[in-house]
Amino acid sequence: MGEDLIDQLYAQHLETVAARAERALAACRYDALVVHAGAAPTLFLDDQHQPFKVNPHFKAWVPIVDNPHSVLVYVPGRRLKVLFFQPADYWHKPASLPTAAWTRLVDVLPMPDPKQAAAHWQGLGRIAFIGPNAACGDAPAEAVNPPDLLDRLHFDRAVKTAYELECLRRASALGALGHRAALAAFRRGASEFEAHMQYLLACRQREEELPYNNIVAYNEHAAVLHYQRLERRPPDACRSFLIDAGAEYRGYAADITRTHAGTPGRFAELIEALDAVQRALCDEVTPGRDFRDIHLSAHRRIGDLLQRCGVTRLDGAAALERGITGVFFPHGIGHLLGLQVHDVGGIQGDAQGGQRPRPAGHPYLRLTRMLEPGVVVTIEPGIYFIDSLLAAARADERGAEIDWRAVEELRPFGGIRIEDNVVATTGAPENLTRDAWRLTAASKAA
Ligand code: GLY
Ligand code: MN
Ligand code: MN
């Protein structure tokens, strides 16, 4: 049997991560890097822990996402050392020593006690530590998470390796399975809670393994951007279904949103129209493009669409200028995606900590960088009917440019968001989400 593609790609990935680290360490005058996986914090006045979320810098090197207290030691030019936490613990099941193909490229050493870690960096010179402060307790404070080093690593991380792209493809495939199952639950009249549970079952992930809390929203709930409550009972009428739900593969995140109408009609047509806008915006994910321009393009396109659909009276450019598009689309068009759902480095202008400002009046945009091949972003336009924003617009001069009868007709549907994960390439953009959707359809048919 041949090796899995992902194992073949990992070797090159490890080289790239090491080369980036070596460059950053040299520029910041460090001799070695120590990366702590972190540990799950305990709850206040309790002996229970919060779910463990590994330090993203740790999982950038090795696909270990579930073993707190582990530590990486990297000295440029040497093999990576993984100090793999394996306590004698009869309360819990310690993690098994990994044996997958990637372990052939690194030294994985069992570590029964975290106190044993420090011996591995004695005498290595000037060391930078990356991890939660509590995990780096004995390290000199100035050597823990040095900002100049982090800036360099975060900036480089936006460009994905071939291995990372494959991980992201597989995360998208898992997410697509979950989305299909949740949609089927919605269609048969299940509650938000049950749609969410069907999602988890289909992508075979526990809630704590997901990259973010699923947003599973029916009807007016779809107007709450990060709706977090899951109604246990189905509503009397299932008019609309917005689901923003991802999945992880080897620590890499998918971030996918779809909106479905319960019945044909004006809202269903609005979904179709926004879908066309979304696909046009995905086509704008090209090298050399300033992501701020894609965000502003989204506002203009959504403004035109709202006018065409009879919700507003101005064209997109005028509606953007007058602050009307922001009433219906009050978040950024997208963000970097990778080891974290909102990956770091989105507003960096360079590796030295320079920043690229957000456009005036757009404080929620998380990505202002120029795109280049290998950068992965989300494209997630939305149209929402949010009471507080509508009331504010109605009370000022924007109110005259909005058709309030149309708003009242659409308000019970909450809103629409359509979100794909897209790779900038030297050719056509790669749409991880739509590809995954097609592949899961094909595998269902097979
Ligand atoms: N799921 C969070 C987001 O779309 O950014
Ligand atoms: Mn997103
Ligand atoms: Mn999302």
Side-chain angles (χ1 to χ4, degrees):
M1 259 275 292
E3 265 191 346
D4 187 343
L5 170 68
I6 206 102
D7 294 320
Q8 295 168 22
L9 296 175
Y10 177 76
Q12 181 63 50
H13 170 75
L14 184 61
E15 274 181 29
T16 301
V17 175
R20 289 172 177 174
E22 185 168 347
R23 263 202 319 274
L25 289 167
C28 303
R29 299 180 311 284
Y30 290 102
D31 301 306
L33 180 65
V34 172
V35 184
H36 288 270
T42 46
L43 298 174
F44 182 55
L45 299 180
D46 207 319
D47 63 356
Q48 302 297 304
H49 292 90
Q50 291 177 14
F52 172 64
K53 289 284 180 188
V54 68
N55 170 6
H57 284 273
F58 188 93
K59 61 179 174 170
W61 288 88
V62 289
I64 300 173
V65 297
D66 59 356
N67 198 20
H69 303 293
S70 295
V71 183
L72 302 177
V73 183
Y74 176 65
V75 183
R78 297 197 202 160
R79 266 164 78 95
L80 178 70
K81 222 185 241 189
V82 181
L83 308 176
F84 191 83
F85 184 51
Q86 266 196 327
D89 179 353
Y90 60 84
W91 293 98
H92 305 99
K93 183 177 184 316
S96 305
L97 214 56
T99 55
W102 64 265
T103 58
R104 293 203 292 269
L105 301 172
V106 304
D107 294 330
V108 183
L109 311 173
M111 178 177 68
D113 184 343
K115 291 197 192 74
Q116 296 164 330
H120 290 271
W121 54 82
Q122 292 311 315
L124 290 183
R126 192 164 179 255
I127 296 162
F129 296 81
I130 300 181
N133 285 328
C136 306
D138 293 338
E142 69 282 2
V144 177
N145 300 320
D148 55 346
L149 185 75
L150 291 186
D151 282 340
R152 287 169 195 275
L153 297 175
H154 290 172
F155 189 74
D156 286 351
R157 211 164 98 187
V159 175
K160 285 3 186 217
T161 65
Y163 164 84
E164 291 179 303
L165 293 176
E166 185 58 22
C167 289
L168 289 164
R169 282 183 201 108
R170 294 182 187 200
S172 290
L174 291 171
L177 289 174
H179 273 262
R180 285 185 181 283
L183 175 58
F186 168 75
R187 291 275 183 237
R188 67 170 180 270
S191 66
E192 292 172 346
F193 175 77
E194 194 189 328
H196 169 69
M197 298 311 282
Q198 292 301 324
Y199 183 97
L200 296 178
L201 274 176
C203 63
R204 302 174 73 81
Q205 302 206 341
R206 300 164 67 180
E207 283 182 332
E208 64 195 57
E209 292 169 321
L210 297 177
Y212 58 92
N213 288 328
N214 281 358
I215 297 162
V216 180
Y218 289 3
N219 301 342
E220 289 87 348
H221 297 160
V224 182
L225 298 184
H226 284 172
Y227 174 76
Q228 78 284 27
R229 308 203 183 270
L230 294 167
E231 289 289 343
R232 287 348 191 231
R233 289 162 56 106
D236 292 338
C238 292
R239 291 181 289 274
S240 61
F241 176 35
L242 185 156
I243 171 165
D244 182 343
E248 273 197 17
Y249 184 86
R250 290 197 178 200
Y252 289 85
D255 180 10
I256 303 171
T257 311
R258 288 292 181 269
T259 308
H260 310 278
T263 52
R266 190 171 194 170
F267 184 72
E269 286 160 18
L270 200 57
I271 295 176
E272 284 299 305
L274 187 64
D275 192 67
V277 163
Q278 197 269 358
R279 281 185 275 115
L281 290 165
C282 290
D283 289 341
E284 295 190 32
V285 177
T286 52
R289 185 91 166 123
D290 184 331
F291 199 75
R292 296 174 294 195
D293 291 338
I294 300 183
H295 176 76
L296 296 174
S297 167
H299 271 269
R300 283 188 295 270
R301 288 178 189 271
I302 289 170
D304 285 339
L305 183 162
L306 288 169
Q307 185 192 36
R308 261 194 332 272
C309 297
V311 178
T312 57
R313 302 199 169 91
L314 298 172
D315 68 22
L320 169 60
E321 173 75 29
R322 305 267 298 269
I324 292 168
T325 50
V327 176
F328 299 93
F329 173 44
H331 60 72
I333 186 59
H335 48 83
L336 293 174
L337 179 76
L339 290 163
Q340 292 166 271
V341 63
H342 298 148
D343 221 2
V344 290
I347 58 167
Q348 276 186 254
D350 56 48
Q352 291 78 43
Q355 297 204 336
R356 287 166 69 82
R358 298 176 174 91
H362 297 265
Y364 302 116
L365 183 59
R366 297 175 195 270
L367 176 54
T368 58
R369 286 171 67 159
M370 301 294 288
L371 298 181
E372 49 188 306
V375 170
V376 181
V377 300
T378 66
I379 293 292
E380 48 183 302
I383 294 176
Y384 312 89
F385 301 92
I386 300 171
D387 287 343
S388 58
L389 301 184
L390 290 167
R394 196 166 195 163
D396 63 33
E397 66 288 349
R398 292 171 298 175
E401 308 300 344
I402 295 172
D403 183 322
W404 294 100
R405 284 227 317 260
V407 167
E408 281 314 310
E409 187 184 334
L410 290 163
R411 199 202 290 258
F413 297 87
I416 306 169
R417 180 162 64 255
I418 300 169
E419 177 175 25
D420 288 347
N421 306 161
V422 185
V423 190
T425 79
T426 51
E430 180 183 353
N431 190 317
L432 302 174
T433 312
R434 299 215 181 220
D435 289 351
W437 218 265
R438 270 192 297 276
L439 284 174
T440 53
S443 65
K444 266 177 81 124

